[in-house]
Amino acid sequence: METNEQQPQMPEREALTAEQQIRRRTLKAFGLFGLASLVPVGIWKYITAQPKEAGIPTPLRAVLDGNEQVANTYFSNQHLAPTFNLEQAAKAVRVNGREGIRTELDPATWQLQVLQPGREKLMIPLEAIKALPKQELVFNFKCVEGWSQIQHWGGTRLSDFIAHYKLGTRTGQPAADEGDYFNYLGMETPDKGYYVGLDMASAMHPQTLLAYEMNGEPLTALHGAPLRLIIPVKYGVKNLKRIGTITFADDRPRDFWAERGYDYHVGL
């Protein structure tokens, strides 16, 4: 539901080249301007001269991996993102980023593809997803670039979707315990232009939604129609628009911004 209300005055990524977008995100993620002023020049040159791993020098990647390990120790499905009253939700939901949704898509022909090791792929229409229990969520959507906005989304819990279709387990049956689940879940857009990877604990979080509504109305194209991911325990870069494929695996799926210098977890 787009309106002409004034939006926060920040440079939109669409005005930047891909290289500039990556540089801006990396600087924000690490606070490199401040860090560079504190680290002796010789040490900084040594760090930046090291081989790169997933887009950044290996010493910085090691820091991100360490941060992720710490974050995983306190992550819990009992820890919920704060929620708000419906009246507090923005009427004009901010659009930020068009990776993976630049091409046209006919919602009438769209189906969600699900891939699992050793099993035939599933093709699931939107109406089947809408038939599952609906959840509504009003929370503060946070972007790693520094802005946030209270937003209202509706859809089905990803955990309910997984349980209903008996997905994500090595046995192909409802999980007897957490150890039966594959380690990861990956999502990508139909054109494969944008993709994210999630650990299964984050995917199964009770606030993680397969969203098909925004402000009580069907999603618009710019907000990820016909189906998108909403995951309040992660920054916006993980909230993939226009899901085309969901893949379960024990190895980490590829992740668009992790390949460009971000940490894989990107949790709040």
Side-chain angles (χ1 to χ4, degrees):
M1 297 176 62
E2 309 288 335
T3 75
N4 292 323
E5 293 182 17
Q6 186 175 3
Q7 296 297 301
Q9 297 301 306
M10 295 180 63
E12 290 294 335
R13 287 187 293 156
E14 298 308 306
L16 305 177
T17 67
E19 183 178 354
Q20 288 171 327
Q21 291 179 32
I22 292 168
R23 184 181 299 114
R24 186 172 83 168
R25 286 181 173 274
T26 303
L27 291 173
K28 286 178 176 291
F30 285 104
L32 290 185
F33 291 125
L35 180 60
S37 68
L38 297 175
V39 177
V41 173
I43 296 177
W44 183 249
K45 286 184 177 179
Y46 169 79
I47 291 174
T48 56
Q50 296 305 298
K52 289 187 177 182
E53 179 182 346
I56 61 173
T58 51
L60 297 181
R61 176 59 62 188
V63 171
L64 289 180
D65 290 343
N67 289 343
E68 180 179 342
Q69 291 177 12
V70 172
N72 286 336
T73 63
Y74 63 75
F75 179 85
S76 169
N77 280 355
Q78 304 305 313
H79 177 70
L80 302 179
T83 56
F84 299 83
N85 295 326
L86 186 60
E87 295 75 19
Q88 296 174 272
K91 297 298 185 292
V93 179
R94 177 164 177 158
V95 175
N96 196 52
R98 292 171 173 79
E99 291 88 353
I101 60 170
R102 299 180 189 277
T103 56
E104 291 188 9
L105 178 76
D106 182 2
T109 62
W110 175 93
Q111 292 190 77
L112 177 61
Q113 179 176 253
V114 180
L115 303 177
Q116 300 181 93
R119 289 174 228 163
E120 293 185 2
K121 70 178 179 182
L122 296 177
M123 301 298 294
I124 303 173
L126 183 62
E127 291 308 312
I129 298 171
K130 287 184 174 181
L132 299 174
K134 182 181 177 183
Q135 304 293 325
E136 299 204 28
L137 183 66
V138 182
F139 78 105
N140 194 20
F141 185 102
K142 295 182 179 181
C143 178
V144 75
E145 294 178 335
W147 62 268
S148 65
Q149 186 181 55
I150 297 175
Q151 299 176 354
H152 172 208
W153 301 92
T156 188
R157 287 192 182 104
L158 180 52
S159 59
D160 288 345
F161 172 80
I162 288 172
H164 179 80
Y165 286 101
K166 300 178 181 178
L167 304 174
T169 62
R170 297 179 182 85
T171 61
Q173 298 299 318
D177 54 59
E178 291 184 0
D180 190 25
Y181 285 113
F182 289 108
N183 293 331
Y184 295 98
L185 177 155
M187 292 185 178
E188 64 181 20
T189 54
D191 67 359
K192 304 185 186 303
Y194 197 79
Y195 39 91
V196 300
L198 302 172
D199 59 279
M200 279 300 293
S202 297
M204 298 296 286
H205 189 277
Q207 291 178 314
T208 301
L209 301 183
L210 294 177
Y212 47 79
E213 287 185 359
M214 180 186 71
N215 286 339
E217 299 289 341
L219 292 179
T220 63
L222 288 178
H223 285 291
L227 190 73
R228 66 168 294 163
L229 177 67
I230 290 294
I231 180 165
V233 296
K234 304 285 187 183
Y235 281 102
V237 292
K238 286 286 191 179
N239 289 246
L240 181 138
K241 300 175 183 178
R242 191 189 286 179
I243 305 170
T245 304
I246 295 178
T247 303
F248 295 90
D250 277 327
D251 296 326
R252 274 188 172 184
R254 63 183 189 147
D255 187 274
F256 187 90
W257 283 110
E259 293 176 356
R260 291 159 173 80
Y262 271 46
D263 71 282
Y264 199 92
H265 185 73
V266 200
L268 296 171

